[in-house]
Amino acid sequence: MDMISQKNGIVAAGGDVMEHPPSGDKYGLIDNELGTAAHETVNDASPSPTSAKETLPLARDQRGEEEGTNKCYKKGDGLKMIVGSSLAFAVVVTTALIMQIYLGPPQVEPHGAVSSESKLCSVIGTDALKAGGSAVDAAIATMFCVGVVSSHHSGIGGGHFMVVHDHKTSVTNVIDARETAPMHANKSMFVTNPASAYKITPHHPSKIKYGWVDPVAGGNAVAVPGELRGMKMAHDKYGSLSWRDLVMPAVKVARGGFKVNKGLAHVLDHHMKLTDFEDSPELAKIFIRNGKFLQEGDIIKRPKLGDTLERIANEGIEPFYSGTIADDIIKKIQKTNGRMTKDDLKGYKAILKPPVKSIFNDYTIYTVPAPSSGPALLLILNIMKGYNLTMESMSEATTYGRLIEALKFGYGERLTLADPAMNDQIENITQDMISDARADAIRLKIDDTKTFQQSYYSQFNSKPSGGTSHISVVDTNEMFVSVTSSINYWFGSKLMTEGGIILNNEMADFSIPGQTSKFGMPPSPANEIAPGKRPLSSMVPTLVMHTEHKCGPRIAVGATNGTKIISGVVEVLLNYLVGQDSLSESIDRPRIHNQLFPDVTEYEKGFPQTAVTFLKGMGNTVQLAPEAINIVSAIAKVNDTIKAHVDYRSGGGNYSQY
């Protein structure tokens, strides 16, 4: 009998979905973990935020272990397991034979789950698992769907980073499908008069006399999309189902229509103006009706995008990179004075590379190397690791101050990262950044009584960004996938092709020479534009594996909301890996954030006031966040028990932002 457990964007196929960590001894035993709680399934009710606590619990959860295979059991229970397994096997075989006689061939459900911002898309991913697909198949199917229903922040007009862990072989790979600068791009393309003062300007080049063009919209803001190349590379290496089977569900969604979710409605209402679509009547036709933005629950149909996706389903990705879909893309870009050519699309390549990793207590953290901010994520965790955090120490407001300082240093250090293919020093910078020695040196610079000005943490400056989507998947063969996708800002470049593809504005993630901060710090020269270069990214899809026990916690986690992604992943990992929070509590707990630029410490409603007071006393500028700081989703597996959770902030709670 098929059973799908759903909660927000989580869908589990087979196995158990468990919201709370198992009780019992360290490396909890199967008998303890598969009690009543382990067999509870979640329903469709929207989750509510976890009640705030006056601590950020950071002590180890109780976990499971492996004994030589992917099956986990108690030490010393060998004889009992042999006898029990024999009896169970006999019962299963007998039952299966009876069912086969009366009901036809027996059906075995996949043991896996998909976590995304959309329940509809998670179901599509889980359907792929149930059809015998791999975790990568499920991730790809889900990504295509999310690109339709949440095209304001992701889709085939953008790019992604994907981390894949084959648990059976213990091999982890990264697929880098980050967008690249066109070959006719250069570091001065957005500079009109370097001697003038910095100002944010409209995207119309004809209206600018002095300053810098802020590349947030228009043809020159578009970098060469990598989404489809990355998907295809992942499918070729890890896929089981046909490519067409992974694309067609999204085609049906695009043509059949879907409801505007809370996330999209929130972005339209809080982050967009009607004039933002003045250069793109195609976007206005879809998202504006009767002079107003669509509201939650309104129905959208995307037949043109459906037609484009069906071509990709039937013909593969080449029409996008070298055929008539490519012609459509270039026509739209060049119509708004963009520099990209069809040769740029033809020449794009995704990259298969090893992850960066670090040991955090009993766990190995795998994430994406530069140009992702994965090394900065590991640096922040290493800084916090050195404080030997315990439940007792986490009742002290000092720890919150240390976390904010670690975030400032991490966000500052990330500005030294860039595309390693264009700078042979990036590898050395990365290895230094993720080392314990670097974390130790930074820890000595942290003062528990005060904070400092921005130049203390970094010699460069940066600017914030928003958007992105994250998907986590685990399948029956212990393959884990963590993938974060983006078109950068909300609605990317604000350009949509005739075929319904919304194009990214990833060129805005490069540094523009001359944009100095109020303290005189320039943007990082390592991240300046160059032909074929990949811009620095805040995306940090992450996988966590217990270092000694294969059946201990295995986690796929990531976040959304641009530069605020990093702090969200850090806090959830601290809550879960060191604390005794369940996965849902780890994600839903009120969060804090500081990304150095701007140097403002934000906190969410419900965050402990004692910590807020302490942070103010250190000299931090502290304010209540006007909306969700970031959105985190994750899947964890302990022994054979799946835990999955989508942030209540994604739309099932008080507010949402993607």
Side-chain angles (χ1 to χ4, degrees), residues 401-413:
R402 290 170 173 173
L403 177 58
I404 289 298
E405 292 298 293
L407 289 174
K408 288 184 179 183
F409 275 110
Y411 274 97
E413 293 282 316

Side-chain angles (χ1 to χ4, degrees), residues 4-8 10-12 17-19 39-45 644-645:
I4 298 178
S5 299
Q6 304 176 6
K7 186 172 186 178
N8 277 5
I10 305 165
V11 180
V17 176
M18 189 170 71
E19 283 297 313
H39 291 283
E40 292 177 354
T41 56
V42 294
N43 55 38
D44 291 341
H645 192 67

Side-chain angles (χ1 to χ4, degrees), residues 187 190 415 461 463 507-513 515 523-529 535-536:
K187 69 178 184 179
F190 296 111
L415 300 179
N461 72 66
K463 54 188 176 182
M507 296 297 290
D509 278 358
F510 283 111
S511 299
I512 300 177
Q515 291 186 346
S524 171
N527 191 43
E528 289 177 349
I529 298 170
L536 179 62

Side-chain angles (χ1 to χ4, degrees), residues 410-529:
Y411 274 97
E413 293 282 316
R414 73 180 282 271
L415 300 179
T416 63
L417 298 171
D419 186 350
M422 300 288 182
N423 187 333
D424 57 10
Q425 293 302 309
I426 298 302
E427 177 61 28
N428 293 332
I429 291 171
T430 295
Q431 292 307 312
D432 176 65
M433 190 179 297
I434 67 176
S435 68
D436 286 338
R438 183 62 178 156
D440 293 342
I442 288 176
R443 207 177 301 109
L444 292 174
K445 299 177 68 175
I446 293 177
D447 188 326
D448 289 341
T449 65
K450 62 182 179 181
T451 191
F452 303 90
Q453 67 182 27
Q454 291 166 314
S455 57
Y456 184 75
Y457 306 93
S458 175
Q459 59 182 313
F460 305 118
N461 72 66
S462 67
K463 54 188 176 182
S465 64
T468 66
S469 174
H470 183 78
I471 296 166
S472 298
V473 186
V474 60
D475 68 18
T476 187
N477 291 316
E478 296 286 320
M479 180 180 287
F480 287 78
V481 175
S482 182
V483 55
T484 307
S485 174
S486 180
I487 58 172
N488 208 22
Y489 292 7
W490 309 121
F491 295 95
S493 62
K494 314 298 187 298
L495 298 180
M496 188 173 79
T497 70
E498 289 296 325
I501 301 170
I502 299 178
L503 300 172
N504 71 82
N505 71 327
E506 297 293 355
M507 296 297 290
D509 278 358
F510 283 111
S511 299
I512 300 177
Q515 291 186 346
T516 57
S517 73
K518 64 180 180 180
F519 291 110
M521 292 173 291
S524 171
N527 191 43
E528 289 177 349
I529 298 170

Side-chain angles (χ1 to χ4, degrees), residues 237-550:
K237 186 171 181 61
Y238 298 105
S240 300
L241 302 179
S242 73
W243 175 258
R244 188 176 191 278
D245 287 342
L246 304 182
V247 186
M248 285 307 296
V251 174
K252 294 178 181 178
V253 172
R255 288 174 174 165
F258 53 92
K259 291 183 178 180
V260 174
N261 56 35
K262 288 185 178 181
L264 173 55
H266 178 87
V267 168
L268 290 171
D269 188 43
H270 290 80
H271 295 280
M272 305 302 298
K273 298 178 181 178
L274 294 174
T275 54
D276 288 332
F277 293 160
E278 63 183 4
D279 288 340
S280 186
E282 301 90 352
L283 278 175
K285 184 177 180 180
I286 294 172
F287 296 101
I288 299 174
R289 290 179 191 167
N290 301 319
K292 297 180 179 180
F293 283 125
L294 296 179
Q295 302 295 307
E296 182 183 355
D298 287 342
I299 302 297
I300 296 179
K301 292 187 178 182
R302 303 286 305 278
K304 290 185 177 180
L305 179 58
D307 292 344
T308 297
L309 290 175
E310 186 170 26
R311 282 202 61 194
I312 292 169
N314 292 330
E315 301 175 37
I317 67 173
E318 291 313 312
F320 183 97
Y321 287 100
S322 60
T324 55
I325 297 176
D327 293 333
D328 189 24
I329 293 170
I330 299 305
K331 177 182 178 181
K332 188 65 179 181
I333 290 173
Q334 294 185 350
K335 185 178 181 181
T336 52
N337 301 317
R339 305 185 184 198
M340 190 185 302
T341 68
K342 196 170 180 179
D343 286 340
D344 289 314
L345 287 169
K346 288 180 181 179
Y348 182 87
K349 296 184 184 300
I351 303 172
L352 183 71
K353 59 175 68 172
V356 286
K357 62 182 180 179
S358 181
I359 301 298
F360 183 85
N361 295 348
D362 296 330
Y363 303 91
T364 303
I365 315 292
Y366 299 92
T367 189
V368 183
S372 155
S373 293
L377 172 77
L378 298 182
L379 171 62
I380 296 166
L381 289 170
N382 285 339
I383 294 171
M384 296 306 295
K385 177 178 66 175
Y387 288 117
N388 299 315
L389 300 169
T390 65
M391 285 291 293
E392 290 73 24
S393 68
M394 289 316 302
S395 64
E396 301 171 2
T398 304
T399 302
Y400 295 98
R402 290 170 173 173
L403 177 58
I404 289 298
E405 292 298 293
L407 289 174
K408 288 184 179 183
F409 275 110
Y411 274 97
E413 293 282 316
R414 73 180 282 271
L415 300 179
T416 63
L417 298 171
D419 186 350
M422 300 288 182
N423 187 333
D424 57 10
Q425 293 302 309
I426 298 302
E427 177 61 28
N428 293 332
I429 291 171
T430 295
Q431 292 307 312
D432 176 65
M433 190 179 297
I434 67 176
S435 68
D436 286 338
R438 183 62 178 156
D440 293 342
I442 288 176
R443 207 177 301 109
L444 292 174
K445 299 177 68 175
I446 293 177
D447 188 326
D448 289 341
T449 65
K450 62 182 179 181
T451 191
F452 303 90
Q453 67 182 27
Q454 291 166 314
S455 57
Y456 184 75
Y457 306 93
S458 175
Q459 59 182 313
F460 305 118
N461 72 66
S462 67
K463 54 188 176 182
S465 64
T468 66
S469 174
H470 183 78
I471 296 166
S472 298
V473 186
V474 60
D475 68 18
T476 187
N477 291 316
E478 296 286 320
M479 180 180 287
F480 287 78
V481 175
S482 182
V483 55
T484 307
S485 174
S486 180
I487 58 172
N488 208 22
Y489 292 7
W490 309 121
F491 295 95
S493 62
K494 314 298 187 298
L495 298 180
M496 188 173 79
T497 70
E498 289 296 325
I501 301 170
I502 299 178
L503 300 172
N504 71 82
N505 71 327
E506 297 293 355
M507 296 297 290
D509 278 358
F510 283 111
S511 299
I512 300 177
Q515 291 186 346
T516 57
S517 73
K518 64 180 180 180
F519 291 110
M521 292 173 291
S524 171
N527 191 43
E528 289 177 349
I529 298 170
K533 189 174 182 177
R534 298 169 193 242
L536 179 62
S537 171
S538 299
M539 296 187 287
V540 288
T542 300
L543 297 177
V544 181
M545 303 291 152
H546 197 284
T547 304
E548 297 181 2
H549 304 283
K550 275 196 171 183

Side-chain angles (χ1 to χ4, degrees), residues 8-199:
N8 277 5
I10 305 165
V11 180
D16 299 297
V17 176
M18 189 170 71
E19 283 297 313
H20 300 286
S23 59
D25 299 332
K26 181 181 178 182
Y27 309 128
L29 308 177
I30 277 190
D31 289 5
N32 293 332
E33 294 200 354
L34 300 185
T36 303
H39 291 283
E40 292 177 354
T41 56
V42 294
N43 55 38
D44 291 341
S46 297
S48 59
T50 304
S51 300
K53 299 180 181 179
E54 288 293 310
T55 60
L56 179 62
L58 298 174
R60 188 163 57 240
D61 197 355
Q62 310 304 316
R63 312 300 186 185
E65 76 177 272
E66 180 196 48
E67 293 291 339
T69 69
N70 281 327
K71 298 299 181 183
C72 310
Y73 55 85
K74 288 184 182 180
K75 289 181 178 180
D77 273 2
L79 181 59
K80 289 186 352 184
M81 287 202 65
I82 292 172
V83 174
S85 298
S86 298
L87 291 173
F89 180 75
V91 171
V92 169
V93 171
T94 302
T95 302
L97 289 172
I98 293 173
M99 291 182 67
Q100 185 171 14
I101 292 172
Y102 288 97
L103 302 177
Q107 296 182 1
V108 179
E109 289 186 310
H111 189 116
V114 178
S115 173
S116 78
E117 66 193 53
S118 165
K119 184 193 304 181
L120 169 64
C121 297
S122 293
V123 169
I124 285 174
T126 305
D127 285 344
L129 292 179
K130 295 175 72 175
S134 68
V136 166
D137 287 326
I140 292 171
T142 306
M143 290 169 71
F144 272 117
C145 175
V146 170
V148 173
V149 304
S150 296
S151 56
H152 58 292
H153 62 49
S154 60
I156 61 175
H160 67 262
F161 292 110
M162 179 184 293
V163 190
V164 182
H165 179 81
D166 187 337
H167 202 58
K168 288 186 174 181
T169 62
S170 296
V171 174
T172 306
N173 282 310
V174 167
I175 292 176
D176 178 346
R178 180 70 162 156
E179 300 90 334
T180 60
M183 296 309 293
H184 291 295
N186 62 74
K187 69 178 184 179
S188 300
M189 63 186 288
F190 296 111
V191 180
T192 62
N193 187 341
S196 64
Y198 168 69
K199 63 179 180 178

